[in-house]
Amino acid sequence: MPKVLIIDDEPGILYSLKSALDRGNTAVATAATAKQGLAAVARERPDAVILDVRLPDMSGLDAFLLIREADPRLPVIVITAHGSTETAIEATKRGAFEYLLKPIDLHQLDEVLGRAFEVRRAQAAPAASEDIAAPEDGADTDQIVGQCPAMLEVYKVIGRIAPQDVPVLILGESGTGKELVARALYQHSLRSGQPFVAINCAAIPDALLESELFGHEKGAFTGADRRRVGKFEQAQGGTVFLDEIGDMPPAAQAKMLRLLQDQRFERVGGNESVQTDVRVLAATNRDLSVLVRENKFREDLLYRLNSFTVTLPPLRDRMGDIEPLVSHFVTAANRKLKKNVRGVDPTARAVLEAHRWPGNVRELQNAMRYAVVQAVGEVITPDCLPASLRGAAAPPSDALELTALITSLLRVGATDIYRQVTQTVDRALLTAVLGHVHGNQKQAADRLGISRTTLRAKLQTLGLGIEKHVRSVDGSEDPGGVSPDSVTTE
């Protein structure tokens, strides 16, 4: 659970903000003075701080600087009742995450805090795993995972260029983990103690992206009622990650080129040249050389960015990593969803290995989260997987080999092996027989040598069902056909 610390001397503000934010998914701590706030930063280890500009024992700016000394990567949101105060602007220029005006818009505060928590997570969580096998309980699960030769080359490249204070271009299809690579580069760099700011260029409208990156002056455009400090000033001394840089508009590209050349830029609507000191990491799933030929991307900017590159392989080219990735994502889903899934049965594993994964690692992560939600026991079976995977490829004919299944269950420490093995056999057996007799329950029961009551009970237990009205062999409608919503007993 993320934790926010509120430092404000107004009891009404403390009470209202604490009441609004303390809703079960965010822990809230409060302090009425700068001294108490600084002590709480050390004691509570918050993920974000909401800091008032005017405090009884110290100015908010002085308190902010002390917080930055204690934890340079802690996002600090400055709040003030005075929109024109230079103190708030100065704090933001020196690295404050955002500043908001009183009375606080709670919807805006929720959005800003969400971004602050994400930045804190990105900066704090290790991106590269020391052990790339399945993580142990309690280990962080937001890491690069992979053992194949292509991924080992990626690790080597990260190790070589992370300490070098140069721009890096990260290439790869959507869902391959480009942001994780950017975080690994940051965490192994000389700037790892300074801020890490990630921007998705494709997610911000072209008209706003330049202001988001470089800031703007008051009156620069309609709605610009005060100066705004951009991400490159907020990340002073740290690292900026520009995701989907291929979608950056031309005006922002021109400013990016100057920033990469001499670390200077102007805010939107301003003439003052701002000096900054940041490392730029960029990523794209597009072919920038094609965009250059189409006059959609500056050739000189491409040359500046691609002198050092990291290329991530698609998941279909690293299928040997499916097993450690599955273990990794099941661990993460268990922790998030409070489940206790401990493995994947051989049939489901065969389905996963047969899929081509056009959405790459992100698609696999979503599939395993779905499977963990659907699992009723400790092992993921094929019916737990998304329908798009089950229909993509049929498991091999020997996927139900009982010895392999039992061995798998023993390995994961399952305590209901008899139930899971018999259910696996029943599922395959009943599906095959019902398919052979076109869903006629009476004929299926006769062929199985069991009563229709027993058959229906097994179908209900297994959650099996076919169309509500199933035609019998002679073409008449069979009221005994299996129905997923009308299973009865005789």
Side-chain angles (χ1 to χ4, degrees), residues 108-126:
Q108 184 184 18
L109 180 61
D110 269 343
E111 186 271 331
V112 171
L113 269 179
R115 289 192 287 112
F117 290 151
E118 177 62 23
V119 166
R120 184 64 165 177
R121 180 200 61 80
Q123 293 180 149

Side-chain angles (χ1 to χ4, degrees), residues 166-282:
V166 294
V168 180
L169 181 62
I170 306 165
L171 305 174
E173 297 178 7
S174 292
T176 49
K178 296 187 289 295
E179 183 171 351
L180 284 179
V181 169
R183 285 174 43 203
L185 287 166
Y186 156 72
Q187 290 164 359
H188 291 277
S189 74
L190 301 178
R191 298 175 182 261
S192 59
Q194 300 301 319
F196 174 84
V197 177
I199 308 275
N200 188 330
C201 299
I204 301 174
D206 289 357
L208 299 179
L209 180 60
E210 190 177 354
S211 171
E212 187 73 17
L213 292 175
F214 304 103
H216 63 251
E217 297 290 350
K218 181 178 180 180
F221 49 83
T222 302
D225 56 351
R226 64 183 187 274
R227 176 189 288 176
R228 177 180 176 82
V229 174
K231 300 302 184 188
F232 282 110
E233 285 182 84
Q234 293 179 23
Q236 179 70 18
T239 301
V240 173
F241 171 53
L242 302 174
D243 199 5
E244 305 303 347
I245 196 171
D247 294 283
M248 180 176 284
Q253 290 182 34
K255 284 194 170 184
M256 274 301 307
L257 180 63
R258 185 185 177 195
L259 184 140
L260 289 172
Q261 288 173 337
D262 57 20
Q263 293 279 313
R264 302 188 72 85
F265 64 89
E266 290 84 33
R267 300 187 190 95
V268 177
N271 297 317
E272 177 188 356
S273 182
V274 180
Q275 183 74 45
T276 190
D277 176 23
V278 295
R279 183 186 191 184
V280 175
L281 307 177

Side-chain angles (χ1 to χ4, degrees), residues 337-396:
L337 302 170
K338 304 296 189 267
K339 299 273 283 187
N340 191 33
V341 175
R342 305 185 67 179
V344 179
D345 82 4
T347 313
R349 187 180 301 114
V351 174
L352 296 173
E353 292 174 351
H355 190 57
R356 296 299 292 165
W357 302 107
N360 293 296
V361 177
R362 185 183 297 125
E363 182 186 2
L364 176 59
Q365 180 180 22
N366 292 336
M368 298 321 299
R369 184 184 299 120
Y370 177 91
V372 169
V373 170
Q374 297 297 319
V376 294
E378 294 184 338
V379 175
I380 292 172
T381 54
D383 53 306
C384 299
L385 299 174
S388 58
L389 298 189
R390 297 198 305 270

